[in-house]
Each structure stands twice: as C-alpha cells, then as structure tokens.
Amino acid sequence: MELAYYSDYAVRLVNTEEPVRNKDALTSVEVIRELFGPATQMARRATDSDVTRFRAVRARLRAVFTAADEGDHTGAVDLLNSLLLEFPVSPQISGHDTLDEDGRPRWHMHLADHPSNATAGYAAIAAMGLAFHLTEFGADRLGLCQAPPCRNAYLDTSTNRSRRYCSDRCATRANVAAYRARKRLEADRPDDTGLTAEISQESTTPADH
C-alpha cells in the first residue's frame, strides 16, 4: 500500500461531517467500518464505543485542515504532531499479495499499528498519511472547499496548486453562483445612458433668451 494512500483516511473521516449544514454521518459502528475500506482486519475491531472517539479525532484532523487552509502552516504542523505523538505507528516493508511481472513481491512501505482500539488504529494511519503528504507536497496542499456551505477537506494534487473545491460538483456550483451574482449586479446597476444623452443634448442647444 502506498503511503500517499493513507492520507485519504484523514479526508474520509473529516468529510463525514458537514458543520455548516449541521449534518453528521458518523452515527454508527457500520459507518466506521466503511471508513477503513480494504483494511477489514482493523475494521472488525470497531465497536459502538468508537463512535465518540472517532468524532474526537475527526475534530482534531479538521483543525489541521483549517489551520493549513488559513495559511497557519506552523499551527497545522503542531496539531498534526500532537496526533502523531498520541497515535504512533511502526513503518514496515511489505510485499504481501502484490507481485510484479516476474512473480516477485512489489516491496512497499506499510504502516503497521498495534492499537488498543479501532480509533487508535485509524487515527495513527490517518495522521501518518497526512504527515507524509504535508512534508512531501507542502501544508498549502491541505484545503477546505471554498463553495459555501460545503467545507469538505481535500488534498490538492494540481500541478499549479490552484485547487479550491473538493469536487467538480462544488466547482461548478461555485462558478454558477458567481455568474448569477455578476448578472444581478449588472441588473441592479442604474442605466444612465438616457440621462447622459439628455445632458449632452442640452449642452449643445442654444439657451433661450
């Protein structure tokens, strides 16, 4: 499993909540198990008690994205470091279930964890993945969607660091909203063409005596 993949754990967890809309999808152990994706062994450890713990970790991960999005890169790193200290992992070389064309293992780095519960395991992977992404690409690659009311987290992988939205859907919605706002502004702008013409005509007409 590529290390870059692990950063998606953080994004998936953060985006289970829509703070502006007051919506929270993290309501059951089944949702938690779905967040683990193919990591079924860890997912089986999840219990109802993890729901509250997952929400606490989610708030801390969102704080990392918020700090980065606001340009407070040092703050984002400090918040992420606190998660790394609390939820450590043990990097290991792995090649299981992945063979190249010659039948040899495709060696890659794997984040092995030894957590006391599902939350600790997930938090460790999410924090380490996010840390690898941040150090490799920069804190400014961590963002929050700029299309109100959406504030979903995303990882900017664009070549020119220009991403501002979490999805094409939000980008389209924001562009449509901006277009309509311009049209409303143009419609509300006073039409002074007739007034200008009238003033011009008066200035060229001889005064009555």
Side-chain angles (χ1 to χ4, degrees):
M1 188 179 294
E2 296 294 334
L3 292 178
Y5 170 83
Y6 289 116
S7 58
D8 288 336
Y9 276 66
V11 173
R12 289 203 299 271
L13 178 54
V14 170
N15 291 347
T16 59
E17 181 184 30
E18 298 180 71
V20 178
R21 293 189 175 104
N22 197 29
K23 292 183 178 180
D24 190 347
L26 188 55
T27 57
S28 67
V29 66
E30 287 74 20
V31 174
I32 289 176
R33 288 172 179 159
E34 290 176 3
L35 287 171
F36 278 99
T40 55
Q41 184 175 352
M42 286 192 295
R44 284 194 292 268
R45 303 173 188 161
T47 67
D48 290 332
S49 300
D50 284 298
V51 174
T52 300
R53 291 193 289 258
F54 259 69
R55 287 175 175 170
V57 171
R58 179 182 64 188
R60 295 171 67 181
L61 286 170
R62 176 172 283 278
V64 174
F65 278 93
T66 299
D69 187 66
E70 294 175 350
D72 183 9
H73 297 172
T74 300
V77 169
D78 289 342
L79 291 167
L80 191 50
N81 273 335
S82 68
L83 284 164
L84 292 170
L85 287 172
E86 186 173 345
F87 303 106
V89 295
S90 303
Q92 294 180 354
I93 300 174
S94 176
H96 58 79
D97 300 330
T98 314
L99 303 178
D100 62 18
E101 57 275 9
D102 297 321
R104 296 173 299 189
R106 294 183 184 273
W107 301 115
H108 57 273
M109 291 299 296
H110 176 78
L111 300 183
D113 62 285
H114 311 283
S116 56
N117 54 64
T119 303
Y122 195 99
I125 291 175
M128 183 61 74
L130 205 55
F132 274 110
H133 192 93
L134 186 151
T135 54
E136 179 71 17
F137 303 106
D140 58 342
R141 293 288 189 160
L142 279 58
L144 293 174
C145 187
Q146 300 300 303
C150 180
R151 293 295 283 166
N152 275 353
Y154 65 84
L155 300 172
D156 185 358
T157 56
S158 64
T159 56
N160 57 356
R161 300 172 183 264
S162 61
R163 184 171 178 179
R164 298 177 57 211
Y165 308 106
C166 68
S167 64
D168 290 341
R169 178 182 179 183
C170 275
T172 299
R173 183 161 53 84
N175 289 334
V176 169
Y179 173 79
R180 288 175 177 172
R182 288 195 300 271
K183 287 299 182 182
R184 285 196 298 270
L185 183 62
E186 292 173 1
D188 294 340
R189 188 176 299 161
D191 184 3
D192 60 357
T193 303
L195 179 61
T196 302
E198 184 179 344
I199 293 174
S200 177
Q201 183 178 5
E202 289 179 353
S203 65
T204 58
T205 300
D208 293 332
H209 296 289

